[in-house]
Amino acid sequence: MAANPKTDAPVPDILAHAAEVASAAPSIHNSQPWRWEVDGDRLELYAERSRQLAATDPEGRMLTISCGATLHHARLALAGWGWQTQVDRLPDGEGDLLARIRLEGAIPITAEAEQLFRTIGHRHTDRRPVANRPVPPDALQALAAAAYAEGARLQLLHTEQVDDLASATAHAAEIDASDPAIQAELTDWAGGQRTELGLPDEVIPSRPPQTNVASREFGGSGSLPIGDDHDKTAAYGLLYGDEDNQLGWLRGGEALSALWLTAVRLGLGIMPISEPVEVPAGRQILRRSLSYLGWPYLAVRVGIPADGTEPEATPRLPASETVHKH
Ligand SMILES: Cc1cc2nc3c(=O)[nH]c(=O)nc-3n(C[C@H](O)[C@H](O)[C@H](O)COP(=O)(O)O)c2cc1C
């Protein structure tokens, strides 16, 4: 965990420090599609379009969800250091400026903020099958509450809805496999040695795990050892909200971060499943599980991490690439 900057440190330094901590946030294909600008007493979050996955994510849905996750991380860092913040989302309307944060003054650090903040460095995507133990129902409720507090919702899926998720995912995987631009993007972002961006072999399973909902095919096998277990005790949920637009996706990303860090605190692992949400037909199938009352942002697998070696941390860009101070 990053040390608490001194409360009398210059405000721009505190804001830049929070943005650096926020680089640990999850992002689609580890594209880290954000840019932080520190301008006096303001910390601004921009979508970094040069790292948008043009074929996989043409509308920027997954880019914006990723940016929402880094926004939540930054907010949490500031709260964990005892700062009250004011956050304006899309202050100029839809566009690349996604949020502006200002410090409002010192506040007592809550146990909740501190505990969640401490989990940031322990959160990773674990694509191995989960342990053969069911997730306690009250833990699932805690994840739903964490998402709700951030303005999105988590619908836990019953068996038939998991089947729908599996077919939406299989359908999306077929589309991806037959699209040369998406395949080229996978080659650009996944597999091999990676030092700053994308997914290195070490976090990609060495063979397809046995699971109810197929994991994303990253265009080849990695080197992450996995057991023979089947993911049958995993729980699945759909993160969703009222709006299928930039604000909804940003909030969805903040909710993803909140529920994921809550999961880590409770000893659970999360694996996002975004493939079915990336294609229109997949979104339609998933909307049925929501009784057409909301828009899906992301599916998540929730489980108790398997015993054995956890996957390595995925690399990040140096802060000089993502945080700029004026
Ligand atoms: C919006 C979004 C979509 C993602 N979709 C998937 C996915 O479909 N399959 C998967 O295995 N991981 C998915 N991930 C996880 C990312 O690959 C992961 O966060 C990134 O590689 C960084 O690794 P870390 O989470 O271990 O820090 C997604 C993450 C985000 C934020």
Side-chain angles (χ1 to χ4, degrees), residues 136-179:
D138 53 348
L140 292 172
Q141 290 312 322
L143 304 194
Y148 188 74
E150 292 297 331
R153 276 164 281 171
L154 181 70
Q155 160 125 350
L156 297 163
L157 302 182
H158 57 66
T159 312
E160 280 162 26
Q161 293 171 327
V162 174
D163 291 345
D164 277 351
L165 174 62
S167 29
T169 306
H171 178 70
E174 270 175 36
I175 293 176
D176 286 0
S178 63
D179 185 328

Side-chain angles (χ1 to χ4, degrees), residues 270-302:
I270 297 285
M271 185 180 72
I273 303 169
S274 57
E275 237 177 339
V277 185
E278 290 158 15
V279 300
R283 289 198 291 280
Q284 283 311 319
I285 297 173
L286 298 182
R287 286 202 76 203
R288 194 164 58 198
S289 298
L290 303 173
S291 307
Y292 300 97
L293 292 175
W295 294 91
Y297 299 150
L298 202 73
V300 289
R301 181 195 72 176
V302 188

Side-chain angles (χ1 to χ4, degrees), residues 205-229:
S206 53
R207 57 195 161 90
Q210 300 195 67
T211 159
N212 287 328
V213 180
S215 310
R216 191 192 283 269
E217 270 289 335
F218 285 105
S221 306
S223 58
L224 177 66
I226 62 164
D228 292 324
D229 289 342

Side-chain angles (χ1 to χ4, degrees), residues 171-192:
H171 178 70
E174 270 175 36
I175 293 176
D176 286 0
S178 63
D179 185 328
I182 292 181
Q183 291 306 305
E185 226 159 52
L186 277 174
T187 311
D188 286 348
W189 289 97

